[in-house]
Amino acid sequence: MHLFHLYTTAPERPGISPAMMPVFLLLLLLAPAVTAAPEHALTLYGEPPRYAASFQHFAYARPDAPKGGTLRQASIGSFDTLNGFISKGVAAEGLGLIYDTLTTQSLDEPFSVYGLLAEKIERAPDNSWVRFYLRPEARFHDGHPVTARDVAFTFKTLMSQGAPQYRAYYADVREAVVESPHQIRFDFRHRGNRELPLIIGQLPVLPEHWWKNRDFSTGSLEAPLGSGPYRIDQIRPGQSIRYQRVADYWGKDLPVNRGFNNFDQLVYDYYLDSNVALQAFKAGQFDYWQEISAKNWATAYDIDAVREGRIIREEIPNHNPTGMQGFVFNIRRPILQDRRVRQALTLLFDFEWTNQRLFNNAYTRTRSYFDNSELAARGLPGPEEQALLEPLRGQLPAEVFEKPFSLPVNDGSGIIRNRQREAWQLLTEAGWKIENDRMVNARGEPLRLEFLLLQPDFERVLLPYKRNLADLGIQLDIRRVDISQYVNRLRSRDFDLIVYGFAQSSSPGNEQREYWSSVNADNPGSRNLIGLKDPAVDQLVEQLVRSDSRQALVSRTRALDRVLLWGYYVLPNWYIKTWRTAYWQSLQHPQVTPDYDVGLMSWWQAPVPARHVPEN
């Protein structure tokens, strides 16, 4: 409520005598300041944060961790730009290290943010705006102060020239208002988006004075200016990038930074594929590796370095919702627009055989877009979900209301004749038939699909699937390309199927628009890779974004999850509830690990017997 509105309506309130009017007006004037006092942290629904204003460091960081050494990591593919904010080129790994954000998220709470560039944050009582009070001591690496003008410049630049996800993510922000050199306010279009003040705090702040004479819309290998704990020290285009810790980093003693950024140097070396990288790791070429292959985790580490304790293998618990990794159908393709076709293709994937023969039974089948959390839809819709879904009944598959979503469970023998019969029936209903051992439509066009692939490891997963499809006359072509071609084809939506993951957090919100909303279906570079343009999904997404309590968020997420599952837009893959990490013994980490991340930047290097590491 605006102050002008309070003043003009106050005399008309009943029960207030003229003598008491000055006191009443004074109380009204003071009320916003009381209810919207600046705070050191924000939480999604106004609950107390875990860490009080006087906290000294996060529980998962060791404030006296030794500084020094080099952390060398691997990246796959190549890079050709140091501007990671646009939809052009392939950005180098680690660029976020050079930029500070307004706030930083704690890694042991579902969604709480604490001031970084911003010393205090103030949220309107009605959630119509958020204000950030910048720290006067904040500096870019060239010594220039970080000001509210830099924040406004960053926001306007990302919205006008940045990748499409920024316009989706900040769609509810009406404007950024510079109130003073160290004070900025973001006004919102709607008051129901409780997540928006928190995600505005994730804004990386760019220096206006450095960018004003440069073209932001084009990729470049010129090292950009930042304000974060690291700066770019050396690049070998497409091969490696090295970051140097900033010795006089302005924010090194902040509570949110104590125990972090312990390595003097961070290096990312690029490898052709993950198999080559794994061999390089075992040979001592880099320090830390997160293993994503169950087969490798089970069989590839039977080496002297592991047996002797020089390489440590550790599974760190992961409490995040697993999200949805799967084979994504591009429903822009006419051949994939029929839900029955997508359901048939889903039936023909034999997870049980794949898990047993290829993954050593290491994985759990993904059965929700929010699996491993209370947000996942289970059983039939409850009363809260029913209230959300009933107005959309005519737009949704009948199964949403009638039965729980399930995926086929096979016996692991590799024989799936029952599934093939079910798939054949669905395809027949959709107008397909088998002629001359080929599945064709009424025009005689074959059911032929191309699976666009970047990771060579996935070919062994797809080949058995290809055989199952071939048994019904469906042709699957597996096309593996390099990273540049892969990125370009994704941006231009030039694919039938890909393997992709829609990451989720414990507090889903505005990112759901970019995943599923119609407005992003035709935006090159957005994450609506499916091509979803469904008014019912749009409505459910908007209701989720505007949740006003945890209970409402859970119900609305489950309703969205249920509708997405019954749409058969993704053929679900699998997940594991830990991060599988392997690292050389020179690396150490705090005893307490965060719930929602590995927390690698809180690790440090301890002196151990030297091993050979190639020079840059």
Side-chain angles (χ1 to χ4, degrees), residues 383-405:
E384 296 85 359
E385 285 184 73
Q386 194 75 31
L388 297 165
L389 296 169
E390 190 62 41
L392 305 172
R393 180 180 283 272
Q395 305 172 57
L396 300 176
E399 297 95 326
V400 168
F401 301 91
E402 296 171 356
K403 49 185 172 180
F405 180 82

Side-chain angles (χ1 to χ4, degrees), residues 21 140 185 280 317 369 391 480:
M21 187 60 62
F140 292 106
R185 187 185 76 244
Y369 285 79
R480 185 158 66 93

